[in-house]
Amino acid sequence: MVTWNIWIFACMFFFLSCEKEDLSFVNGDIEIKIETGDHWLHNFPLFLGLTKKNPPQFAIWVEDTSGNYLSTVFVTYKIATEGWQANKGNRRKESLPHWCHQRGIVYEDGLLLPTKEHPLTDGITGATPKEDKTIKITPINLEKPFVIKAEFNHSVDFNDNYPKNAQEGDGNYSGGGEGSGQPGVIYATTVYPDTKNAILELIGHSSPDGSTGDIYPDMQKLTSAKSIVKSIILTIK
Amino acid sequence: MKKIFIIILLTLFLSHNTKAQDKRMVSMRVAINQIELGFQHNILSDKLWADVYTGIGNQDINSSFNDFTIGLGIGFNAFSNKKNRFAINSGIGLYIPNNTYYSVTVPILNAGVLYLRLFGKKDKHCLLVSSGYRYGKRDYKQAYSSDIANVSTIGTFKISPLYFSIGYGFNF
């Protein structure tokens, strides 16, 4: 009987202790809600035909209306810390090149990506969510208008236009067999003093091989990359 | 979660009104994302046992084997002969990820099956194969402050639901 009581009590304790955290907003706070799209999870090949469902790497950051980088808001762990697994030293500069170039911080090897030794320190580094994500921004000295941008990219997300066998130097080269495939997609919106709600629009894709920080508005060659994200909604509370 | 509760209740029901012999085992089990050291002791009967374990895992953001886990459980030998035992077991525990990005303690419920093959002199040694389901999920908050804004978000840490481990046990 004692055993019964102990186990039932313990199970109740653990069940009730699984509390959910909530973000609380006050007037002036900015809520950014990312809704995952049909291709948020992408099959990443492991071995012997086995695959693993991987979410994308992404970064959200703030710029002024002149295109000057102000601050990173959130960035996923692998790119923030060079935390790639089995990358064999490949720095993956094709992963989020627009964010890297806008940030403009050059590391020891001349690349614009954080390293294991010098991971990102400006912004939240977080695990990539497998579901919708909400971020709260409380502006301090952030003058409007400003721009919120987000860039998303999958690994080995090949299609006919960005194939695995594209060679370095080709216009559609994206890092080789373990590269990006389809390039990163970039979303943006401008927040004005009277903005209450806004949707971050898909404005283009980034450099396929990561060699520049340019935005390429022609997205005809992208397929599944355009549905990594369903929507990114910004709300001023 | 519901299935785990049913297995826990079933294990308790099967243990009702039984009598124990004095049998103990220390073990080490290895899974793809966890390594555990355990101590198992018969209770109430030679078919029912309780165990405690502690170990390390790599299920958090940095995939380093430096997370901490601890737990206790009960099991019931459903089928056994001279050299083989097949048990069902269930338990509770804690999983504590270890990284510099977030802090969370995750309660775990688990239920599964354990196969034990005895070998060696006086059946002192055994090979362990266990498989089952674990539930552990908890939200955590992350925050960052800069000159222009304070940022916060909620993340969710979730234990890998399926586990499979092999191990070695020593009976004494």
Side-chain angles (χ1 to χ4, degrees):
Chain A
M1 193 59 195
V2 173
T3 313
W4 276 91
N5 287 340
I6 290 171
W7 273 104
I8 290 169
F9 175 76
C11 292
M12 284 175 61
F13 169 78
F14 280 107
F15 179 74
L16 292 172
S17 68
C18 293
E19 298 169 355
K20 282 194 76 68
E21 288 269 7
D22 277 317
L23 291 173
S24 56
F25 294 85
V26 297
N27 280 348
D29 284 349
I30 300 169
E31 177 193 60
I32 298 175
K33 187 166 182 186
I34 302 168
E35 287 187 82
T36 59
D38 292 340
H39 290 99
W40 181 263
L41 295 179
H42 169 70
N43 283 332
F44 185 88
L46 294 174
F47 54 88
L48 300 175
L50 294 173
T51 60
K52 180 186 166 191
K53 291 275 186 195
N54 266 1
Q57 294 298 300
F58 68 91
I60 301 175
W61 70 99
V62 185
E63 294 178 3
D64 64 21
T65 50
S66 301
N68 299 309
Y69 169 90
L70 295 177
S71 178
T72 295
V73 171
F74 180 95
V75 65
T76 46
Y77 175 79
K78 285 180 183 172
I79 196 160
T81 65
E82 199 192 349
W84 312 101
Q85 293 179 338
N87 61 318
K88 301 166 194 167
N90 182 352
R91 295 267 273 122
R92 302 289 323 282
K93 68 176 188 175
E94 70 281 352
S95 44
L96 299 178
H98 181 60
W99 170 71
C100 289
H101 280 81
Q102 289 301 98
R103 196 165 161 258
I105 296 176
V106 182
Y107 292 82
E108 308 88 63
D109 57 359
L111 294 178
L112 293 158
L113 289 150
T115 64
K116 285 186 175 67
E117 293 75 27
H118 297 101
L120 184 93
T121 54
D122 51 316
I124 291 179
T125 296
T128 312
K130 292 193 175 178
E131 299 165 343
D132 297 351
K133 182 77 171 170
T134 300
I135 296 168
K136 174 180 125 176
I137 302 174
T138 301
I140 302 175
N141 297 314
L142 185 56
E143 290 185 13
K144 293 174 186 173
F146 58 85
V147 177
I148 299 279
K149 276 187 176 171
E151 184 177 12
F152 299 80
N153 201 356
H154 271 306
S155 301
V156 296
D157 190 16
F158 301 107
N159 66 5
D160 292 341
N161 300 306
Y162 298 96
K164 191 174 180 178
N165 58 4
Q167 299 299 309
E168 196 166 357
D170 292 347
N172 58 355
Y173 175 75
S174 59
E178 292 177 358
S180 290
Q182 296 173 72
V185 286
I186 302 164
Y187 293 77
T189 195
T190 302
V191 179
Y192 297 98
D194 59 349
T195 298
K196 297 292 178 202
N197 300 284
I199 292 175
L200 275 73
E201 301 286 348
L202 177 59
I203 61 171
H205 67 80
S206 46
S207 164
D209 65 355
S211 55
T212 74
D214 297 339
I215 299 175
Y216 301 85
D218 181 6
M219 287 175 282
Q220 287 186 30
K221 293 182 179 177
L222 302 187
T223 50
S224 54
K226 291 189 282 191
S227 54
I228 293 174
V229 170
K230 182 180 178 183
S231 67
I232 308 173
I233 300 170
L234 184 147
T235 307
I236 310 284
K237 299 292 187 180
Chain B
M1 275 270 278
K2 210 184 272 185
K3 288 177 188 170
I4 292 178
F5 278 121
I6 292 170
I7 293 174
I8 290 171
L9 290 172
L10 182 65
T11 309
L12 291 169
F13 175 73
L14 289 168
S15 71
H16 180 64
N17 199 26
T18 50
K19 195 176 168 186
Q21 289 184 2
D22 189 24
K23 285 184 183 170
R24 292 164 292 212
M25 179 173 72
V26 289
S27 65
M28 178 168 146
R29 293 188 221 176
V30 178
I32 198 165
N33 52 20
Q34 201 156 305
I35 300 171
E36 296 169 5
L37 293 175
F39 173 72
Q40 182 179 304
H41 195 297
N42 278 58
I43 54 170
L44 302 176
S45 86
D46 56 359
K47 285 197 170 189
L48 184 71
W49 43 264
D51 74 339
V52 293
Y53 71 85
T54 185
I56 56 173
N58 73 343
Q59 297 198 44
D60 71 343
I61 196 171
N62 60 18
S63 301
S64 297
F65 261 101
N66 59 2
D67 305 338
F68 176 72
T69 184
I70 192 168
L72 52 93
I74 56 172
F76 177 76
N77 293 333
F79 305 105
S80 63
N81 58 26
K82 199 174 175 188
K83 290 289 185 185
N84 303 281
R85 286 179 203 159
F86 185 84
I88 56 171
N89 62 318
S90 61
I92 55 176
L94 292 175
Y95 192 98
I96 304 172
N98 182 7
N99 61 73
T100 56
Y101 299 98
Y102 55 82
S103 177
V104 66
T105 300
V106 186
I108 307 168
L109 289 176
N110 65 270
V113 295
L114 172 69
Y115 168 71
L116 201 145
R117 168 75 183 182
L118 295 162
F119 62 95
K121 200 173 179 182
K122 295 184 184 176
D123 293 335
K124 285 278 189 187
H125 310 280
C126 53
L127 168 72
L128 306 164
V129 180
S130 66
S131 178
Y133 177 79
R134 283 186 177 160
Y135 178 82
K137 183 179 173 182
R138 194 132 195 211
D139 289 344
Y140 57 85
K141 200 167 182 178
Q142 287 182 280
Y144 167 77
S145 292
S146 72
D147 292 339
I148 62 166
N150 295 330
V151 184
S152 55
T153 188
I154 303 293
T156 300
F157 181 82
K158 200 173 171 184
I159 293 289
S160 179
L162 297 174
Y163 76 87
F164 176 82
S165 69
I166 58 173
Y168 164 79
F170 179 77
N171 298 308
F172 62 101

